[in-house]
Amino acid sequence: MTARLTPALAEYVADPARHATDEIAALATAAVLDTVGCALAATSEPAVTRLHDALGPLPGGPCRVLGAKDVRTDERTAALVNGTAGHALDFDDVDDALTGHPSTVLVPALLAVAESVGAPGPDVVEAYWRGLVVERALAAGLGIGPHYARGWHSTATLGVPGAAAVAAVLLGLDAATTRHALGIAASRAAGSRRNFGSMTKPLHAGAAAADGVFAARLAAAGFTADADQLDSPLGYLALFSDVADDLVAAAARAEAVLADPGPAAVNVKLHACCYATHAPADAALDLAARGIRAGDVESVAVRVPPGGLRPLITRAPVTELEGKFSMGYVVAACLSDGQLRLSSFTDEAVTRPAVADLAARVTSEESLPPSGSGGGLEFSAEVVVRTTDGGSHAAHCPAPRGHATRPAATEAVRAKFDDCLARGGHAADADAVWDSLSDLARTGLR
């Protein structure tokens, strides 16, 4: 077997030609705005404040620490802190091809290196897109469904090489050096889904961003890795999936993504909880809007496609982080409150007795027929509420609001951004931050 994926990805990342269209520029801009908003919302979240406590005084440097006024640090530390903050509320974007969150890793790496080297706007856009395509290619090569089912947190396992690609573009690495950067990144990749519902889940994102930047910087300094690491025996694809017996086919699937990367779109989250709960939440909110009230509910049955419950915990939640991964709590909160906001996810909200009682009467199963498209998880749901008067009320959600197939309106995206900055104590800065990042391709990072 002749390895070919690692050089193909390296050549794609190092290609001096421009790939970014206006559509890609809009995607990169939206991703930066969304990630920055989510990170600023998490300024006072325990995962962020305790990370700062653990790190102590930050080393100086050129890179902004989001939420910390006038604080700048080095690339790796900024990527670590900003990546963790971006994922701390589980409110950041999702890509179906990855069954994971791309921007909470790619954007912190992007911000750190771009600020460090003074990258112009077009380079920032190119770097984001190429990092996303590297992640999509590796997801296709792995077979993202089995990879995720084994317990890997794909946000992290795909994120490290994706962040390395972002940094490689901004550092102007040639193909040979980028090949080493991707090889180093492959040995830094990790992340267990068992840690969902804990502070370690957002740490996965921050560590992935920091490790990707580190890999690119090491390669730039002449540090080496196996030049065919990704698709060789004992390499990345073989370790993280079940494709070891047919690495040629796995590499071919990944390479095909370079020719057809998929849509210049990701899924914007409009609820601050696990994406696997979003379609059920939207269906439950639809029922609440139709007049179904929590006090009239006898039971709730949720159906999702195969694999749709994998990211969720099964125990009754007692903390805000656990509530984000509880189907019962999310659906019960929607029916009880008629809305799902950032304020729905606090320790006090999650443990409300009446909501917890209703949550205990929510059952869920993976029995909704899949559409058959793609290899990752499908995000659709059917919710059936049985009321105490014997009635049955159903709602079906084919995809959550904000999904790439159901784009969120500009007003909804801006409302989310404003809600995030208000949550983090930065409401007065909302217009300035929004305006400074709204024309990324032309103005870059200001």
Side-chain angles (χ1 to χ4, degrees):
M1 189 198 93
T2 300
R4 63 185 188 183
L5 177 60
T6 314
L9 284 177
E11 288 162 10
Y12 172 80
V13 172
D15 182 2
R18 293 290 179 190
H19 297 272
T21 60
D22 289 345
E23 190 178 22
I24 289 170
L27 167 64
T29 298
V32 170
L33 281 166
D34 189 69
T35 305
V36 168
C38 290
L40 290 173
T43 298
S44 299
E45 287 299 302
V48 177
T49 60
R50 292 175 190 179
L51 177 59
H52 277 284
D53 290 344
L55 292 174
L58 302 183
C63 309
R64 279 174 286 192
V65 177
L66 295 173
K69 188 174 178 59
D70 299 325
V71 174
R72 289 182 179 265
T73 189
D74 62 78
E75 290 174 348
R76 287 178 65 193
T77 305
L80 171 65
V81 174
N82 293 338
T84 302
H87 200 41
L89 291 169
D90 223 288
F91 207 7
D92 48 295
D93 63 30
V94 170
D95 189 32
D96 287 356
L98 315 179
T99 308
H101 303 257
S103 297
T104 193
V105 177
L106 299 179
V107 169
L110 185 80
L111 296 176
V113 182
E115 287 191 310
S116 180
V117 304
D123 287 359
V124 171
V125 169
E126 284 287 340
Y128 176 84
W129 178 243
R130 296 190 199 194
L132 180 61
V133 171
V134 165
E135 291 198 37
R136 286 178 174 177
L138 291 175
L142 289 169
I144 194 60
H147 174 73
Y148 194 83
R150 291 175 87 172
W152 293 112
H153 184 195
S154 50
T155 298
T157 53
L158 297 170
V160 182
V166 164
V169 172
L170 295 174
L171 295 174
L173 303 188
D174 62 22
T177 309
T178 300
R179 206 162 162 176
H180 291 298
L182 293 173
I184 297 165
S187 280
R188 305 290 292 181
S192 165
R193 286 199 294 111
R194 182 66 188 181
N195 274 314
F196 280 20
S198 77
M199 295 181 200
T200 299
K201 183 178 190 274
L203 181 65
H204 289 170
D211 282 345
V213 170
F214 186 41
R217 281 294 187 183
L218 283 171
F223 213 89
T224 65
D226 186 284
D228 296 310
Q229 208 285 341
L230 298 177
D231 51 327
S232 292
L234 307 182
Y236 179 90
L237 293 181
L239 282 171
F240 284 111
S241 66
D242 297 318
V243 300
D245 293 336
D246 201 351
L247 286 170
V248 173
R253 289 196 302 272
E255 285 184 80
V257 173
L258 301 182
D260 182 12
V266 294
N267 308 329
V268 175
K269 294 181 73 171
L270 298 180
H271 307 307
C273 47
C274 178
Y275 202 60
T277 67
H278 280 221
D282 284 345
L285 290 170
D286 180 34
L287 290 170
R290 289 193 234 160
I292 302 299
R293 294 291 174 261
D296 300 325
V297 175
E298 181 176 286
S299 65
V300 184
V302 179
R303 299 173 67 214
V304 297
L309 301 178
R310 282 180 194 154
L312 305 180
I313 62 173
T314 56
R315 61 187 180 276
V318 296
T319 68
E320 96 176 67
L321 288 175
E322 292 178 347
K324 292 172 182 288
F325 293 86
S326 167
M327 182 73 81
Y329 172 71
V330 169
V331 170
C334 290
L335 293 172
S336 298
D337 303 333
Q339 63 179 1
L340 204 59
R341 302 284 305 272
L342 279 165
S343 57
S344 303
F345 296 98
T346 64
D347 292 354
E348 294 74 22
V350 166
T351 53
R352 289 174 288 170
V355 178
D357 176 69
L358 177 55
R361 287 179 274 128
V362 177
T363 60
S364 51
E365 60 180 30
E366 296 179 354
S367 60
L368 196 64
S371 70
S373 61
L377 300 184
E378 291 186 26
F379 301 106
S380 60
E382 178 187 76
V383 174
V384 178
V385 171
R386 296 196 180 279
T387 49
T388 53
D389 62 3
S392 178
H393 310 268
H396 178 74
C397 178
R401 291 182 302 116
H403 187 272
T405 60
R406 296 182 65 192
T410 302
E411 296 79 10
V413 173
R414 180 60 200 258
K416 172 186 173 178
F417 183 85
D418 289 345
D419 198 19
C420 281
L421 268 67
R423 166 70 175 255
H426 308 286
D429 301 323
D431 287 341
V433 176
W434 181 272
D435 292 343
S436 72
L437 298 172
S438 290
D439 194 0
L440 199 62
R442 187 174 65 85
T443 63
L445 300 170
R446 290 187 285 168

